Amino acid sequence: MSMYKIRNIAILGAGTMGSGIAQIAAAAGFTVYLRDISKSFLNRGLARIKRSVEKILQKGLIRISKEEILEKVIPVVSIKQIPQDDIDFVIEAIPENFELKSKTFQEIDQYFSLEVPFATNTSTIRITKLASVTQRPDKFIGIHFFNPPPLMPLVEIIPGELTSNHVLELSKDFVMSLGKEPVILKRDVPGFVVNRILAAALEEAYKLLHENVASKEDIDKAVKLGLKWPMGPFELSDFIGLDVVLAILETLKLEVDERFTPPDILIERVKKGLLGRKSGVGFYNYQK
């Protein structure tokens, strides 16, 4: 088992995270089967990869050609289109919803050999909880990339309670082969390291706005200049997606404690479909 080698990867979900992970894996020489539930989602994901690679090439950050990267990404709509005997590693990057993720893992658990490790890119859900829906809890791990994956150097690696040392080492080597910096958690806790700290900071920023202590512009400016964040909390919320932030807070409220209760100013915006940059309006307006 220690000779286990990752060559071909299946990535489930062609959204911002899935397509970003596919891009860096292809650039590192892996063959990637990128799966999503519709052609239009896949096409959007592939267009995103093309744009991102073009930007990175312009900056001279990679030496591999756009064509070489794109030919390593094979788009598929059905799991059955992925050659099950060729896959050495599966990464799930679908929306942050436990039921949806569970259903997906149960489906692929039947399809891929029990030798194949599964990784989830969840940003908050406990790894042990997701692993429990599969027949391979020892070969199940959290590999949490940050948005956008091609530019963000950090990856949190979270072993579940039953994850084997072999799968932990394999995942660490894989992450480093992508040119990323791994941080390994000693315990499987909801929200891991970054999102636990971030969620607490965002909660506080929302509270300051709600209590009319300062405008969102000034809160953002204060955090950027005073804490050296590249984006303020409201800009960052819009960038992540307010629906994603809400899902993170709801999970942490449920799994950790009440201090992560989502505030009304966030819930109301999500209800109205004001999700940030992706919808054109969030805390700020991007339609100009």
Side-chain angles (χ1 to χ4, degrees):
M1 266 300 270
S2 59
M3 296 306 289
Y4 193 91
K5 222 172 151 34
I6 299 175
R7 290 172 300 267
N8 304 324
I9 301 165
I11 295 177
L12 312 177
T16 309
M17 297 308 290
S19 61
I21 300 164
Q23 178 190 322
I24 53 178
F30 296 96
T31 297
V32 179
Y33 289 85
L34 182 61
R35 187 248 172 159
D36 213 314
I37 52 175
S38 76
K39 273 265 165 61
S40 67
F41 287 158
L42 280 170
N43 290 339
R44 220 177 295 163
L46 292 170
R48 201 181 282 114
I49 293 172
K50 270 183 202 156
R51 280 198 307 274
S52 172
V53 171
E54 278 160 8
K55 270 189 204 163
I56 288 171
L57 282 169
Q58 277 167 7
K59 290 178 183 166
L61 297 174
I62 46 174
R63 288 192 171 82
I64 182 171
S65 75
K66 183 171 83 173
E67 290 67 34
E68 282 176 285
I69 292 174
L70 292 170
E71 68 189 19
K72 288 235 169 241
V73 181
I74 301 155
V76 296
V77 174
S78 162
I79 294 283
K80 307 247 179 323
Q81 289 171 278
I82 303 173
Q84 59 194 122
D85 299 334
D86 283 356
I87 296 299
D88 309 302
F89 202 57
V90 176
I91 301 171
E92 166 274 315
I94 68 172
E96 191 66 3
N97 174 301
F98 178 72
E99 280 68 36
L100 199 58
K101 287 183 189 290
S102 296
K103 206 172 137 215
T104 302
F105 278 122
Q106 284 163 337
E107 179 192 351
I108 65 170
D109 201 36
Q110 308 297 319
Y111 187 70
F112 293 107
S113 149
L114 284 175
E115 291 298 291
V116 178
F118 285 179
T120 173
N121 181 56
T122 178
S123 49
T124 40
I125 302 167
R126 284 187 70 228
I127 306 309
T128 309
K129 191 175 167 184
L130 280 169
S132 71
V133 307
T134 73
Q135 299 168 63
R136 65 189 83 209
D138 58 321
K139 294 189 181 65
F140 195 103
I141 196 160
I143 297 186
H144 180 218
F145 290 81
F146 287 78
N147 187 14
L151 300 180
M152 295 292 274
L154 175 67
V155 178
E156 291 177 320
I157 299 181
I158 313 97
E161 283 165 19
L162 299 171
T163 306
S164 73
N165 209 40
H166 159 69
V167 168
L168 176 58
E169 288 303 318
L170 185 78
S171 303
K172 186 178 153 190
D173 291 347
F174 170 67
V175 164
M176 289 171 78
S177 76
L178 302 178
K180 299 298 177 190
E181 290 278 351
V183 162
I184 295 166
L185 270 70
K186 293 179 178 183
R187 282 177 55 220
D188 173 21
V189 296
F192 321 133
V193 173
V194 174
N195 278 334
R196 280 287 277 275
I197 294 169
L198 176 63
L202 293 181
E203 280 277 10
E204 207 52 50
Y206 301 155
K207 210 177 284 176
L208 290 169
L209 181 66
H210 175 68
E211 291 168 3
N212 206 19
V213 173
S215 68
K216 61 179 180 287
E217 292 82 0
D218 276 352
I219 296 169
D220 275 352
K221 185 177 173 183
V223 169
K224 284 191 286 190
L225 297 179
L227 294 176
K228 283 281 184 252
W229 284 26
M231 288 183 204
F234 297 101
E235 291 170 316
L236 184 59
S237 298
D238 281 351
F239 181 74
I240 295 167
L242 302 194
D243 52 338
V244 178
V245 175
L246 181 60
I248 289 170
L249 292 176
E250 281 172 340
T251 301
L252 293 177
K253 180 195 174 185
L254 205 66
E255 303 267 349
V256 185
D257 62 44
E258 296 289 316
R259 73 197 142 125
F260 293 106
T261 302
D264 290 344
I265 59 167
L266 182 66
I267 295 166
E268 281 156 17
R269 279 175 169 80
V270 173
K271 270 186 191 156
K272 289 177 188 161
L274 310 176
L275 308 180
R277 286 191 185 203
K278 60 185 167 190
S279 71
V281 184
F283 285 106
Y284 294 101
N285 190 329
Y286 302 91
Q287 289 170 329
K288 300 179 198 59

